[in-house]
Amino acid sequence: MGQFPLTLSRFIIRSQAERPSATGECSSLLNQIGLVGKIIAHDLRRAGLINILGTTGETNVQGETVKKLDEIANDTFLRAFQGGGLVCALGSEEMEQMVLLPENCPQGTYMLLFDPLDGSSNTDCNMPLGSIFSVLKHTQTDRPPTESDLLKKGIEQVAAGYLLFGSSTMLVYTTGHGVHGFTLDPGIGEYVLSHERIQIPQRGKVYAANEGNRHKWPSGTQQYIEFLKTPDSAAGRPYSGRYSGCLVADVHRILLGGGVYLYPGEVDKPEGKLRLLYEANPLGMVVEQAGGRASTGTMRILDIEPKKIHQRVPLIIGSQGDVETAEAFIQGRA
Ligand code: AHG
Ligand code: MN
Ligand code: MN
């Protein structure tokens, strides 16, 4: 008889027992994220049959075309948390302003930032998708939160992680005590521990970048990618290119096997494409907790003082050694 499944709920209770200071609130929040993942996965697994592919015809605050699944995923997060008790504010890639809970709702102490559906260009071709979440604590409990309360550095996150809708559905998170991965067993409707205390290799042999943008990159970035492709068997080069169009899927591969993902700054767009509060910060916390590094190319992601809720940053993330080499090229020190 196989070992009894260690479910997300049991794992959280066990971890909580090890840290008396932890309140149950963050645990309930993580369980609710798990439920959101089950509901989104349920939609995605048959998306081509229930008329939820394609676009809504709208454009979001990012200036991007909104896919029906972006909206569905966003609504799922909102409905999961607007019932109250877990959070007091919600910030989403798909919503221009932060959403407060109605006054008459029990207010939680946490604020949740999320990218409800990451990798939206993959929705209609059945490629990997994800959701990314970042948990902050509202410390000024004498008043409701304002947008500026969301503008906390990544080092202030109390929890962070992602859902990966790949060949299986996974929930990967950290509360600052290591990174743990759970695989959804649809047969029992539970997330079961499958990757305890993930550690990212010091270096990998994979790089993920959209080389279609190569002509827009500064020379240091171009030189780094050329360096990765230059054969040197002693150094394990050339690296293999692996780019899925979904940040969560590419970072997950790198978290487990090592390597580096880059969405770098461009000559005419030095801030790059990815968003700090609900993409770079949460994935930065996860990767650092696994022993890796997350940088803009010139500074640590988690040290950035946010100025705006939808602020973009360049992102170089993955194995410590690989990100440090990328920084050396980008800073002209290589
Ligand atoms: P989102 O779908 O939430 O906008 O995120 C897409 C991001 C990231 O997931 C992916 O790695 C990158 O954008 C792809 O961008 P390009 O299509 O420009 O390569
Ligand atoms: Mn995204
Ligand atoms: Mn998105």
Side-chain angles (χ1 to χ4, degrees), residues 93 115 117-120 132 247 274-275 278-279:
E93 176 189 82
D115 174 0
L117 197 71
D118 175 67
S120 306
I132 310 171
L247 169 66
L274 301 179
R275 280 64 48 146
Y278 40 78
E279 289 177 311

Side-chain angles (χ1 to χ4, degrees), residues 127-138:
M127 289 291 284
L129 291 161
S131 304
I132 310 171
F133 64 90
S134 169
V135 183
L136 297 170
K137 200 164 178 61
H138 179 43

Side-chain angles (χ1 to χ4, degrees), residues 60 62 64 70 93-94 115-122 129-130 132 209-211 213 216 243-250 261-263 266 273-275 278-279 312:
N60 65 13
Q62 319 288 341
E64 291 161 352
D70 283 320
E93 176 189 82
E94 298 301 332
D115 174 0
L117 197 71
D118 175 67
S120 306
S121 65
N122 288 351
L129 291 161
I132 310 171
N210 180 346
E211 294 197 64
N213 295 327
K216 301 181 205 170
Y243 191 70
S244 74
C246 174
L247 169 66
V248 166
D250 293 334
Y261 170 101
L262 307 92
Y263 210 103
E266 298 169 358
K273 171 184 182 182
L274 301 179
R275 280 64 48 146
Y278 40 78
E279 289 177 311
R312 296 173 191 266

Side-chain angles (χ1 to χ4, degrees), residues 207-246:
Y207 74 98
N210 180 346
E211 294 197 64
N213 295 327
R214 186 188 178 286
H215 62 289
K216 301 181 205 170
W217 295 340
S219 59
T221 308
Q222 291 179 344
Q223 287 160 22
Y224 175 58
I225 298 295
E226 291 317 309
F227 166 76
L228 291 180
K229 297 196 276 191
T230 308
D232 174 342
S233 50
R237 294 200 310 273
Y239 279 24
S240 293
R242 290 285 186 276
Y243 191 70
S244 74
C246 174

Side-chain angles (χ1 to χ4, degrees), residues 7 19 84 145 189 193 207 228 260:
T7 61
R19 275 194 328 286
L193 182 69
Y207 74 98
L228 291 180
V260 59

